[in-house]
Amino acid sequence: MTEHIVSAYTDELEALSADILRMGGLAEAMTGDACEATVKSDDTLATMVVARDADVDALEADIERRIIEIIARRQPLARDLREVLSALKIANELERVGDLAKNIAKRAGVLEGFARRDVLKGIDRMGRAVTAQLSGVLDAFRNRDPARATKFWISDEDVDQLYNSYFREVLTYMIEDPRTIGDCAHILFMAKNLERIGDHATNIAEMIYFSVTGDYLSADDRPKADELPSPMDEGTPL
């Protein structure tokens, strides 16, 4: 491979990484804004979050197209191949984060008349934890840092514990005042979506670790909080 071809190939990989980070920044911002829109009953912000999902989807489609072209033209091997395939999977994970943030934002308006605004503090807490997790794994991706990726891979237990605690808290409100059941059901869906965003951040951390080291992080080595019942099945439309 000539110096010119190597340089062009390196530029392609760097541009791909830049767009992954751009996509990740959008997904992270959508998550934070969706939570803020919920807590503050900000319909305008919620609408903006929903609209931004199209940008995330478009970036994923463009990244996927370019990765297919890179594989076809460059036929990468070893670490280069791991990097390209990991980028493809990371883009897919980020697209799902965007979808989940959009789903949270769509429910924000439903809670506008919810009297117990203090109950929504849990959404704020979970949102901050999950956006910090996303920010951490994106930083690990930027710096190709498997140790940092592992740190945030392990931190998913904290998000799980927040979800479990919040689930019990909201359930208590529903039992104490059945009139809140409808609104609290929406809150539980939001909380579960945030917990799933944490799962996607964990998957991204695994891809970063694999891309750099060639090894896999074992799920058996990661602490995991006890799983509570989900307010929906995996295939239930949100």
Side-chain angles (χ1 to χ4, degrees):
M1 192 179 288
T2 67
E3 183 177 345
H4 173 74
I5 293 175
V6 170
S7 176
Y9 181 35
T10 299
D11 290 344
E12 287 177 358
L13 293 179
E14 289 178 352
L16 188 64
S17 294
D19 279 345
I20 290 285
L21 289 169
R22 181 183 166 203
M23 188 179 178
L26 280 172
E28 180 187 339
M30 285 177 66
T31 301
D33 288 346
C35 294
E36 182 178 344
T38 299
V39 173
K40 295 183 177 179
S41 295
D42 190 333
D43 287 341
T44 301
L45 183 58
T47 301
M48 290 172 60
V49 171
V50 172
R52 269 184 275 166
D53 186 54
D55 296 331
V56 174
D57 290 346
L59 269 172
E60 187 209 15
D62 182 60
I63 288 169
E64 182 177 332
R65 176 187 58 78
R66 286 156 56 197
I67 287 173
I68 291 172
E69 290 179 357
I70 287 173
I71 292 174
R73 289 188 292 106
R74 306 297 190 189
Q75 299 181 2
L77 300 172
R79 179 166 177 170
D80 285 346
L81 180 59
R82 295 199 308 269
E83 184 171 345
V84 171
L85 293 179
S86 295
L88 180 63
K89 292 185 177 181
I90 289 170
N92 181 256
E93 298 289 344
L94 290 171
E95 189 274 334
R96 288 295 299 132
V97 170
D99 284 345
L100 292 166
K102 177 184 67 175
N103 292 337
I104 294 170
K106 282 183 174 181
R107 293 178 184 273
V110 178
L111 298 172
E112 186 173 356
F114 184 50
R116 294 298 305 270
R117 306 305 298 177
D118 57 308
V119 180
L120 296 176
K121 290 180 180 179
I123 293 295
D124 183 59
R125 287 193 299 270
M126 285 195 68
R128 290 177 186 276
V130 166
T131 53
Q133 191 180 14
L134 280 170
S135 178
V137 296
L138 289 171
D139 187 57
F141 175 79
R142 180 184 294 108
N143 296 300
R144 302 297 190 270
D145 187 341
R148 188 164 178 79
T150 303
K151 172 186 174 181
F152 287 95
W153 179 73
I154 293 172
S155 75
D156 188 55
E157 182 189 18
D158 298 333
V159 174
D160 292 340
Q161 290 177 341
L162 277 174
Y163 170 70
N164 290 350
S165 175
Y166 191 45
F167 183 96
R168 294 186 179 96
E169 178 186 340
V170 175
L171 197 61
T172 299
Y173 287 117
M174 296 168 73
I175 293 170
E176 291 177 349
D177 186 355
R179 293 173 299 179
T180 67
I181 288 176
D183 288 329
C184 284
H186 285 291
I187 293 171
L188 288 177
F189 273 89
M190 290 175 168
K192 186 60 181 178
N193 283 339
L194 287 170
E195 190 268 339
R196 285 181 173 176
I197 289 173
D199 288 342
H200 288 294
T202 299
N203 293 342
I204 292 170
E206 291 176 357
M207 289 300 102
I208 295 166
Y209 188 90
F210 170 72
S211 174
V212 176
T213 69
D215 294 324
Y216 292 96
L217 289 167
S218 172
D220 294 335
D221 296 331
R222 181 167 60 89
K224 190 74 173 175
D226 293 336
E227 186 173 351
L228 289 177
S230 169
M232 67 282 203
D233 293 327
E234 185 69 28
T236 301
L238 301 177

